[in-house]
């Protein structure tokens, strides 16, 4: 290949990458904004919840603590219904929580002083989010309000975020062009306002310094996705590197996954089926092993057993669901080395299953660590601040990209970089597109859709010219 043809090929690749970076950026921009803003808020959900609901979440500390059954009974007296879960106070100055399903079909969290049984208040049960407001933020973050389509859109956006970082770095690399490859914002004001070069430098500098964090957030968020996450889970399981076999020997299994009975379980364990209690031990306990107060007979025993096995504070224990249901104690703490899921027979109090991080395969442990960091848990406040800055950088990238587009677009047109005249697709770009489509199926699908739109527009323009 001659030097001239080599330069031509490089220029063609640069133009093609720039065009796709531009188009993909505009398409996923609103989704990236949603992820960044809601993610930045959710990083501080515990601090927000503790401040907004301090009156029900905190109590005067005391060394005297009631039995779990007494706390649940006090909650049921104040708010009749069916007890679904119990969260012991994680510290002496914290309240206990009891989730109750009322006759109206609504599930509420009742906050109880664990030292004297006083009911402090109630909130609509919002699961792991901890409050209705944070529940809304969490649902917006995953677009669950749009159903399965929202999950797919977010998955595609996460995949495109990774590609945008990669193509952005490629475009940033120095090629003798002015202001390309910059590591600082050096463009001056233009006529008293920020000109497009200033926003271009801001976009480039922000991306080059925070790209690795954006890629990390995108990758560690993908395990929750419907297609990529499910495939990752199945592959890890098939390779023996996720949730290994062997725990269920001789234990009857239900068809209910763990995620359906607890608010927050380790991700790799969420799809594992819940074992069944041995109903032959029911004896005089009746339908579900529940006493006249509506509190399961062996709740105190189950709590004591879970704590004797070393489950750390902050755990919750769900009540048995039906005659074959089990007590399930689970915790997802800041330090994931202490994550745990324990299933206990509701009649005999026997432990049917007990697993923690050390029981997982390599990919399972990596996934759990990545998710913990993604949620701002692993390294406390430092973790939260670093990811908050990454979320702010994502917002800034979106703003600078939108402003650059707005400033460069021709009047009355979108201003999309032109298609190469010869329509040849650089081989390197084609290989990148195929690899990305295989690793991120929804990105591949969206690439095909964008390509189909481009071809349709191109053919439409040709017909107009011909006519």
């Amino acid at each position: 290949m001659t030097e001239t043809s080599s330069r031509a090929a490089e220029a063609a690749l640069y133009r093609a990458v720039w065009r796709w970076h531009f188009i993909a950026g505009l398409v996923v921009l609103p989704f990236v904004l949603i992820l960044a803003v809601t993610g930045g808020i959710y990083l501080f959900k515990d601090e927000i919840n503790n401040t907004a609901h301090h009156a029900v979440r905190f109590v005067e500390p005391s060394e005297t603590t009631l039995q779990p059954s007494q706390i649940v009974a006090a909650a049921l007296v104040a708010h009749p219904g069916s007890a679904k879960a119990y969260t012991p106070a994680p510290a002496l100055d914290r309240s206990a929580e009891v989730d109750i399903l009322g006759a109206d079909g609504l599930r509420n969290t009742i906050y109880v002083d664990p030292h004297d049984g006083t009911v402090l208040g109630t909130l609509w049960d919002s699961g792991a989010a901890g409050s209705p407001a944070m529940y809304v933020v969490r649902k917006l973050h995953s677009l669950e309000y749009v159903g399965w389509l929202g999950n797919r859109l977010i998955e595609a956006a996460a995949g495109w975020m990774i590609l945008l970082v990669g193509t952005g770095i490629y475009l940033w690399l120095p090629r003798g062009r002015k202001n390309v490859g910059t590591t600082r914002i050096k463009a001056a004001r233009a006529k008293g306002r920020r000109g497009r070069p200033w926003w271009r430098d801001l976009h480039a500098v922000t991306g080059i310094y925070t790209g690795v964090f954006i890629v990390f957030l995108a990758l560690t968020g993908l395990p929750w996705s419907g297609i990529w996450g499910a495939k990752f889970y199945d592959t890890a399981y098939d390779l023996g590197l996720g949730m290994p076999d062997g725990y269920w020997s001789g234990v009857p299994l239900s068809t209910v996954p763990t995620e359906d009975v607890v608010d927050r379980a380790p991700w790799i364990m969420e799809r594992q089926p819940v074992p069944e209690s041995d109903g032959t031990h029911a004896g005089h306990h009746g339908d579900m092993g529940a006493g006249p107060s509506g509190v399961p007979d062996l709740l105190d025993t189950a709590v004591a057993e879970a704590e004797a096995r070393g489950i750390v504070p902050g755990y919750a224990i769900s009540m048995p669901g039906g005659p074959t249901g089990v007590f399930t104690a689970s915790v997802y703490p800041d330090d994931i080395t202490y994550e745990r899921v324990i299933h206990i027979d509701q009649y005999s109090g026997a432990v049917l299953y007990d697993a923690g991080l050390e029981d997982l395969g390599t990919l399972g442990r990596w996934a759990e660590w990545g998710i913990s960091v993604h949620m701002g848990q692993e390294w406390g406040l430092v973790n939260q601040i670093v990811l908050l800055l990454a979320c702010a950088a994502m917002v800034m990238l979106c703003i600078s990209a939108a402003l650059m587009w707005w400033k460069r677009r021709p009047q009355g047109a979108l201003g999309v970089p032109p298609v190469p005249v010869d329509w040849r697709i650089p081989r390197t770009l084609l290989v990148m597109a195929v690899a990305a489509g295989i690793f991120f199926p929804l990105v591949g699908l969206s690439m095909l859709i964008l390509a189909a739109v481009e071809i349709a527009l191109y053919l439409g323009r040709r017909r107009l010219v011909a006519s």
Side-chain angles (χ1 to χ4, degrees):
M1 181 181 293
T2 65
E3 183 178 349
T4 301
S5 60
S6 176
R7 288 179 179 176
E10 181 183 349
L13 177 60
Y14 182 90
R15 289 195 301 271
V17 170
W18 159 233
R19 179 177 172 82
W20 277 83
H21 183 85
F22 178 92
I23 294 173
L26 286 183
V27 170
V28 304
L29 186 148
F31 303 106
V32 175
L33 275 175
I34 291 173
L35 287 169
V37 173
T38 56
I41 295 172
Y42 200 75
L43 284 168
F44 296 89
K45 70 178 178 67
D46 290 337
E47 290 82 356
I48 294 172
N49 288 336
N50 287 340
T51 300
H53 305 288
H54 188 277
V56 297
R57 293 171 72 92
F58 289 87
V59 299
E60 287 295 324
S62 173
E63 294 295 333
T64 302
T65 301
L66 300 177
Q67 288 293 314
S69 58
Q70 294 174 301
I71 295 172
V72 174
L76 286 169
V77 169
H79 296 269
S82 175
K84 292 298 180 181
Y86 165 68
T87 303
L92 292 178
D93 65 341
R94 293 293 301 274
S95 60
E97 300 174 18
V98 182
D99 295 340
I100 294 177
L101 180 65
D104 56 3
L106 297 178
R107 181 162 164 162
N108 294 297
T109 298
I110 316 304
Y111 294 86
V112 183
D113 188 324
H115 310 304
D116 60 15
T118 301
V119 173
L120 304 170
T122 180
L123 290 173
W124 173 70
D125 178 31
S126 47
S131 72
M134 288 299 103
Y135 178 88
V136 172
V137 172
R138 181 172 181 170
K139 291 297 182 182
L140 287 174
H141 187 69
S142 59
L143 284 189
E144 287 188 41
Y145 286 118
V146 192
W148 68 269
L149 177 61
N151 182 278
R152 304 303 188 267
L153 290 173
I154 290 296
E155 178 177 344
W160 273 111
M161 284 165 58
I162 296 171
L163 293 187
L164 284 170
V165 171
T167 54
I169 292 174
Y170 172 81
L171 296 172
W172 171 87
L173 291 173
R175 290 178 182 80
R177 297 177 177 85
K178 187 178 180 181
N179 292 330
V180 178
T182 184
T183 56
R184 61 186 179 85
I185 304 171
K186 55 181 179 293
R189 284 180 178 270
K191 296 180 181 179
R193 57 194 178 114
R194 299 298 187 189
R196 182 174 173 271
W198 189 90
W199 289 105
R200 181 193 61 200
D201 281 359
L202 175 64
H203 188 82
V205 170
T206 302
I208 205 65
Y209 284 130
T210 61
V212 64
F213 299 100
I214 295 172
V215 170
F216 176 83
L217 284 172
L219 281 175
T220 53
L222 281 171
W224 284 294
S225 62
I227 296 178
W228 194 97
K231 188 63 178 176
F232 176 82
Y233 184 97
D234 292 340
T235 301
Y237 182 85
D238 292 340
L239 295 174
L241 299 175
M243 191 70 197
D245 286 322
Y247 293 106
W248 306 112
S249 301
V251 178
L253 293 180
S254 70
T255 57
V256 180
T258 300
E259 63 184 345
D260 284 0
V261 300
V262 299
D263 286 337
R264 187 71 178 95
W267 173 80
I268 202 70
M269 302 182 192
E270 288 178 342
R271 301 183 189 181
Q272 291 298 305
V274 174
E276 294 183 337
S277 291
D278 186 355
T280 60
H281 293 92
H284 66 281
H285 290 307
D287 185 27
M288 288 190 292
S293 65
V295 181
D297 286 340
L298 295 188
L299 174 60
D300 293 342
T301 301
V303 170
E305 181 62 42
E307 293 185 350
R309 285 177 168 260
I311 196 167
V312 297
Y315 77 93
I317 185 164
S318 63
M319 308 301 176
T324 59
V326 296
F327 290 104
T328 298
S330 65
V331 65
Y332 195 81
D334 290 350
D335 184 350
I336 62 165
T337 57
Y338 295 106
E339 70 177 28
R340 202 77 168 272
V341 173
I342 304 173
H343 296 299
I344 301 172
D345 190 293
Q346 67 165 307
Y347 302 112
S348 66
V351 173
L352 304 176
Y353 173 92
D354 181 0
L357 186 71
E358 69 278 1
D359 299 302
L360 304 180
T362 302
L363 285 179
R365 292 194 298 272
W366 286 358
E368 291 301 315
W369 177 83
I371 290 172
S372 178
V373 177
H374 180 101
M375 296 178 67
Q377 296 183 178
E378 190 67 16
W379 297 305
L381 184 59
V382 172
N383 195 162
Q384 293 170 292
I385 291 175
V386 169
L387 294 191
L388 179 63
L389 292 175
C391 290
M394 291 164 64
V395 173
M396 183 56 65
L397 286 168
C398 291
I399 293 174
S400 56
L403 285 173
M404 281 193 298
W405 164 70
W406 186 259
K407 288 177 178 291
R408 78 179 295 276
R409 84 196 197 291
Q411 190 69 26
L414 285 177
V416 178
V419 178
V421 177
D422 57 9
W423 266 85
R424 288 181 299 177
I425 302 176
R427 186 178 305 170
T428 304
L429 182 63
L430 187 60
V431 171
M432 290 168 55
V434 171
I438 293 173
F439 194 72
F440 303 112
L442 291 185
V443 170
L445 177 61
S446 58
M447 280 182 177
L448 292 176
I449 294 173
L450 288 174
V453 171
E454 290 225 72
I455 292 172
L457 292 174
Y458 173 74
L459 294 177
R461 286 194 298 268
R462 285 191 61 182
R463 279 196 295 269
L464 285 175
V465 172
S467 61

